[in-house]
Amino acid sequence: MSRKVNKSANTSQPNLRPAASTASPPRGKTSPLPGSPDTLLVDTEKFTKAELLSELREEISALFKKELTAAFAENLTSIRSDIQQLKTDLSSDITTMRQEFAGLRSTVTEMEQSLSTCTDDIVHLQAKVDAMSKELAKLENKCEDLESRSRRNNIRIVGVPEENVLSATDVSVLLMEAFQLGKEPLVDRAHRTLAPKPNIGERPRAMVVKLHYYADCARILQKARELQRVQINNMTISVFPDHTAKTARARAAFNEVRRQLRGIQGVRFGILYPARLRITYQGMQRDFVSPEEAKEYIKTITTR
């Protein structure tokens, strides 16, 4: 009975003696052999780290993707809202612009029609103005001719003092004595020009005298050209034809040319009616209606 108990007690005790094959080798002497438990442990650790790194990368990548997706989703919503608002604004602006463009097109069409009408009217008016301008020029020439004919028997006496008030009879006697006429010319009327009365010491106004007969007027003007200035009754008088204002301005434009011609020897000149300058030099006779042309001719004859 006791033997059985002891046997069973001996069999129940654990084997505390370590196995010879599990003893660890001394450090620093030899590396673990392939297939040994230490090598398996190292490979397991390496595999575990690789798995951990891979899982960590996946988790970080997933987290990063999630964050980016959330941020993009939020921004995309905002962008979509802005784009939608922009589309709405653009649609409204385009509608407004189309309405304005339609209005402008209508306005342009109306303006084109108005301009076409105005162009036709302008062409018509231009033709009418041209015709009226020609007619006006004809009427001006006709009026100038009529006025000149009405002054045909007139003469102007320059140099009579303002204090000498002469009647038509006094002027008739003055002309007979000044130009030694055989009889007194018949004077219809005599008066001063309509210019303002000059002050004392200033040049007196000219006298306009209308003779009854043109023959008397022509004879007096011929003698006036020959004598130039006449001394009579303590005064020096000159007699000129009574031209219209237009003719007088045209003739006065040659005054500078006439002064230049007086200094050239061998030149003869004179102004013909209405305003034509005739120059005779070395047997050649030329007429000028423009003072500029006459000045150019004077330059050519003075440089010879």
Side-chain angles (χ1 to χ4, degrees):
M1 196 69 172
S2 60
R3 289 179 181 179
K4 290 182 181 180
V5 174
N6 291 335
K7 188 176 181 180
S8 62
N10 291 333
T11 58
S12 63
Q13 291 181 359
N15 188 9
L16 299 177
R17 186 178 295 175
S21 62
T22 59
S24 60
R27 296 181 180 178
K29 290 184 178 181
T30 57
S31 58
L33 297 174
S36 63
D38 293 334
T39 304
L40 295 176
L41 180 61
V42 172
D43 293 339
T44 303
E45 291 177 356
K46 290 182 179 180
F47 181 74
T48 304
K49 289 180 180 179
E51 287 183 347
L52 290 175
L53 289 174
S54 178
E55 292 178 0
L56 185 60
R57 288 194 185 98
E58 291 178 358
E59 290 179 0
I60 293 173
S61 177
L63 182 62
F64 188 67
K65 288 181 180 179
K66 183 178 180 181
E67 294 291 336
L68 285 177
T69 303
F72 281 140
E74 183 179 356
N75 293 332
L76 186 60
T77 303
S78 177
I79 291 171
R80 286 177 178 173
S81 177
D82 294 340
I83 291 175
Q84 187 64 31
Q85 183 65 32
L86 183 60
K87 286 183 177 180
T88 304
D89 295 340
L90 287 175
S91 178
S92 177
D93 294 340
I94 289 172
T95 303
T96 304
M97 291 177 64
R98 284 177 178 174
Q99 293 176 356
E100 293 178 355
F101 183 74
L104 289 173
R105 179 178 293 177
S106 176
T107 304
V108 169
T109 303
E110 294 176 359
M111 292 179 65
E112 287 178 350
Q113 295 175 355
S114 301
L115 287 174
S116 178
T117 305
C118 290
T119 303
D120 296 340
D121 293 342
I122 289 172
V123 172
H124 176 70
L125 290 174
Q126 186 65 41
K128 194 171 183 179
V129 168
D130 292 340
M132 292 180 67
S133 298
K134 294 179 181 179
E135 188 68 22
L136 178 61
K138 291 172 60 177
L139 292 176
E140 286 181 346
N141 294 333
K142 189 173 183 179
C143 288
E144 182 72 17
D145 181 68
L146 290 174
E147 185 179 357
S148 298
R149 291 179 183 278
S150 68
R151 295 170 180 253
R152 189 166 180 261
N153 292 356
N154 291 359
I155 59 174
R156 285 185 176 239
I157 303 176
V158 179
V160 179
E162 288 284 338
E163 57 270 15
N164 294 358
V165 180
L166 303 179
S167 63
T169 304
D170 297 335
V171 172
S172 178
V173 174
L174 176 66
L175 292 174
M176 183 187 67
E177 294 177 354
F179 297 106
Q180 298 177 1
L181 302 178
K183 62 177 182 178
E184 297 180 1
L186 182 60
V187 176
D188 291 342
R189 59 181 179 271
H191 60 84
R192 299 278 180 178
T193 58
L194 299 179
K197 186 175 181 179
N199 298 323
I200 298 175
E202 294 181 350
R203 185 178 180 179
R205 293 173 295 175
M207 291 192 65
V208 180
V209 179
K210 182 175 179 59
L211 300 173
H212 188 75
Y213 297 106
Y214 176 73
D216 294 338
C217 179
R219 186 166 60 253
I220 291 171
L221 290 175
Q222 181 180 0
K223 288 186 173 292
R225 284 192 295 269
E226 295 173 355
L227 300 175
Q228 298 292 325
R229 296 174 180 270
V230 179
Q231 296 284 342
I232 184 173
N233 298 336
N234 297 325
M235 58 183 177
T236 302
I237 64 172
S238 300
V239 177
F240 303 97
D242 182 34
H243 296 299
T244 62
K246 181 179 179 180
T247 303
R249 286 194 299 269
R251 295 170 72 93
F254 289 99
N255 289 340
E256 179 64 25
V257 178
R258 294 166 66 186
R259 280 193 290 268
Q260 294 179 9
L261 291 172
R262 291 190 185 100
I264 302 175
Q265 191 174 4
V267 174
R268 296 175 56 195
F269 63 92
I271 296 184
L272 305 179
Y273 184 84
R276 189 171 75 254
L277 178 65
R278 175 171 291 177
I279 300 176
T280 305
Y281 180 70
Q282 295 180 352
M284 294 181 60
Q285 181 176 290
R286 294 190 59 177
D287 293 346
F288 300 94
V289 295
S290 171
E292 289 73 18
E293 295 179 357
K295 290 179 181 179
E296 292 296 328
Y297 178 71
I298 292 173
K299 290 180 181 179
T300 59
I301 64 177
T302 54
T303 54
R304 292 178 183 177

